[in-house]
Amino acid sequence: MKGLSFSIILYLIFFSITIKASSVLLPMDAEGQQNHLKAYGITYWALTKDYKVSWLLNYRGGSFLLPDAAEIRRECQIRGVTFEILSDASANNILEQISSPSQNMETVILEKAPKIAVYTPKGKQPWDDAVTMVLTYAEIPYTEVYDAEVLSDQLLLYDWLHLHHEDFTGQYGKFFGAYRNAPWYIEQKKQAEELAASLGYQKVSEEKLAVARKIRDYVIGGGFMFAMCSATDSFDIALAADGVDICEPMFDGDNSAPNYQASINYNNSFAFKDFILERSPMVYEFSDIDTTNDRINKTIPFEQDYFSLMDFSAKWDPIPTMLCQNHTQLIKGFMGQTTAFRGSLIKSNVLRLGECKINGEARYIHGTRGKGMFTFYGGHDPEDYQHRVGDQPTVLDLHPNSPGYRLILNNVLFPAARKKKQKT
């Protein structure tokens, strides 16, 4: 009988604790979370299950507050995500602390899981692109789209679009100088030409411009677009060069327009102004927007290649605050075909979210176009400093707390936020 009474007492204690534990906190500070990247996946998964999620901006690295449910706990345990069980009183205390005018914090409600599209060539492996790699690792579902889908207006089905490391200018990534005789380059060029012809275009450059226009219209209509590496500046260049032939004969079979630089219309570009195009097909560069050469000539030595995230007011500027949530403000740099953006060539209405002070470059920028928004993030792979063609893929199991990859996932969850009018 005594054993039975003791069991009943233990059950009542456990039951009383359970009914008071009304929330699950996914801490996102450096010490509190063992797998930051998969924590985003848990949050996305919870949204697909119609759970209400709060993003606690600037609270412990941008933590997530979820309702307490057995399946949420179980999913965290399966995926190796650290979680804390909070009583109703503890959760309310945190929310009250965040709401205080003296605290640079804010609570943002996440309403629904955004539908994600990744613009990427068919046959690419997930590790060819940092975004598809981290989405796969975080277990966040996405749909691959490419030119045929974009040109047939299928982007309207999605809330968020990522641009793979694409060349929208029709110059095949400017790989001609080093790789024109490589079998993979010859095959990719052939495939691009066949695709353009099948879609009714005589030139790859014309077809890619049509795709860039559709993506532009998607953003103007209210879409969220995220781009990395060469997809950033080549997209803007393609729009600014609309109606101007900037391709040399080895790319499109005829000569470029004479003095084409004078015909560039910077009003058409999203983020960049006054840039000078690189005319030589032998140079692995699109324009002077990119600052990769500052690494090659040691203006930015490897050991000093860091960028810092900007500090915004969470209550007045929740959008850039969301995009900058992290467990550190200083992030190790990494190279790409487009590594970072020359500060003097960024339009004044574009926010700089991450900067390197050594040369005044911006690594991470954000802006609006029409009803939509875009984010450009320089570099190829946040955990591979100088990724080269043919390099082995990054294993994210070795980098579960990567601050550079967190910035990508901030953008993935960003469209889920309940919209508040930006105050500045």
Side-chain angles (χ1 to χ4, degrees):
M1 179 66 72
K2 289 183 179 179
L4 180 62
S5 299
F6 183 70
S7 298
I8 293 174
I9 292 171
L10 284 179
Y11 174 78
L12 291 174
I13 292 173
F14 176 78
F15 181 75
S16 65
I17 293 174
T18 301
I19 60 175
K20 290 181 181 179
S22 61
S23 299
V24 169
L25 180 75
L26 305 186
M28 297 295 279
D29 48 353
E31 299 78 17
Q33 183 53 253
Q34 62 181 339
N35 197 316
H36 288 90
L37 304 186
K38 285 187 179 291
Y40 287 90
I42 290 289
T43 303
Y44 188 95
W45 172 85
L47 291 172
T48 67
K49 300 290 185 179
D50 295 325
Y51 285 109
K52 177 183 177 182
V53 179
S54 296
W55 197 349
L56 310 182
L57 304 185
N58 291 348
Y59 176 79
R60 294 184 64 182
S63 299
F64 300 102
L65 188 65
L66 295 76
D68 184 27
E71 64 174 343
I72 292 177
R73 296 191 195 189
R74 183 170 59 251
E75 202 67 27
C76 288
Q77 292 168 342
I78 291 171
R79 302 192 192 189
V81 172
T82 306
F83 66 96
E84 300 174 8
I85 305 301
L86 301 181
S87 68
D88 189 56
S90 296
N92 286 335
N93 285 339
I94 291 172
L95 295 175
E96 287 179 10
Q97 175 189 349
I98 292 171
S99 67
S100 170
S102 65
Q103 299 294 324
N104 186 21
M105 303 179 186
E106 180 64 300
T107 301
V108 172
I109 305 300
L110 303 183
E111 295 186 306
K112 68 169 186 174
K115 294 180 180 178
I116 298 171
V118 174
Y119 174 84
T120 183
K122 300 296 186 286
K124 284 286 185 181
Q125 298 298 326
W127 55 79
D128 289 331
D129 172 64
V131 174
T132 52
M133 189 159 59
V134 76
L135 289 174
T136 301
Y137 180 75
E139 301 179 56
I140 296 175
Y142 63 91
T143 301
E144 293 184 359
V145 299
Y146 204 48
D147 294 355
E149 290 82 5
V150 172
L151 293 173
S152 60
D153 293 321
Q154 292 186 37
L155 291 184
L156 297 175
L157 301 173
Y158 303 98
D159 304 300
W160 191 84
L161 171 68
H162 164 59
L163 304 184
H164 178 85
H165 303 187
E166 187 67 47
D167 175 5
F168 291 97
T169 71
Q171 298 176 90
Y172 307 105
K174 294 296 291 286
F175 286 114
F176 180 81
Y179 296 103
R180 60 185 177 276
N181 295 318
W184 64 264
Y185 178 86
I186 295 170
E187 180 61 25
Q188 285 187 8
K189 184 174 184 293
K190 177 185 174 184
Q191 291 176 356
E193 290 168 348
E194 291 174 348
L195 176 59
S198 71
L199 295 171
Y201 295 88
Q202 293 183 341
K203 296 181 179 182
V204 171
S205 58
E206 294 173 351
E207 188 257 330
K208 289 298 181 185
L209 173 60
V211 170
R213 289 171 178 161
K214 285 287 188 179
I215 295 171
R216 173 201 63 196
D217 294 344
Y218 163 79
V219 176
I220 291 174
F224 297 87
M225 186 260 278
F226 177 85
M228 285 188 72
C229 200
S230 60
T232 58
D233 52 352
S234 75
F235 175 78
D236 252 20
I237 290 168
L239 292 178
D242 192 342
V244 183
D245 188 344
I246 64 172
C247 294
E248 301 305 327
M250 66 285 297
F251 301 130
D252 68 352
D254 59 20
N255 292 324
S256 61
N259 192 27
Y260 61 63
Q261 181 66 51
S263 300
I264 299 301
N265 186 350
Y266 302 110
N267 293 325
N268 291 342
S269 58
F270 275 26
F272 305 116
K273 63 178 183 178
D274 302 334
F275 49 83
I276 305 299
L277 300 181
E278 174 53 61
R279 295 189 65 99
S280 174
M282 305 302 290
V283 176
Y284 181 58
E285 190 63 270
F286 293 106
S287 75
D288 60 345
I289 294 171
D290 177 38
T291 59
T292 297
N293 284 334
D294 286 356
R295 277 83 183 160
I296 296 173
N297 62 27
K298 305 301 183 183
T299 301
I300 299 182
F302 169 78
E303 62 275 7
Q304 297 179 32
D305 194 355
Y306 286 84
F307 65 98
S308 55
L309 297 176
M310 307 299 285
D311 192 18
F312 296 94
S313 169
K315 291 181 172 60
W316 288 83
D317 292 308
I319 290 174
T321 304
M322 274 185 274
L323 298 179
C324 289
Q325 290 302 285
N326 224 306
H327 50 283
T328 176
Q329 281 196 294
L330 191 64
I331 300 177
K332 187 75 179 76
F334 52 99
M335 295 174 65
Q337 181 174 15
T338 302
T339 296
F341 318 117
R342 198 169 307 282
S344 61
L345 303 182
I346 299 173
K347 292 184 176 182
S348 60
N349 62 338
V350 174
L351 281 175
R352 305 182 189 199
L353 304 179
E355 293 184 326
C356 177
K357 302 297 185 182
I358 296 176
N359 65 346
E361 71 182 20
R363 162 77 59 164
Y364 183 43
I365 61 177
H366 175 76
T368 61
R369 191 74 166 194
K371 297 179 180 179
M373 299 184 184
F374 65 91
T375 303
F376 289 170
Y377 189 19
H380 186 91
D381 183 337
E383 293 298 337
D384 184 350
Y385 182 75
Q386 193 171 5
H387 186 86
R388 298 180 184 276
V389 174
D391 280 0
Q392 291 298 308
T394 296
V395 179
L396 283 180
D397 277 326
L398 302 177
H399 309 282
N401 311 107
S402 170
Y405 271 100
R406 276 198 67 179
L407 297 181
I408 297 172
L409 294 174
N410 286 340
N411 282 269
V412 171
L413 284 186
F414 170 59
R418 180 182 295 170
K419 304 304 178 289
K420 291 184 179 180
K421 186 175 181 180
Q422 200 168 354
K423 298 177 183 178
T424 60

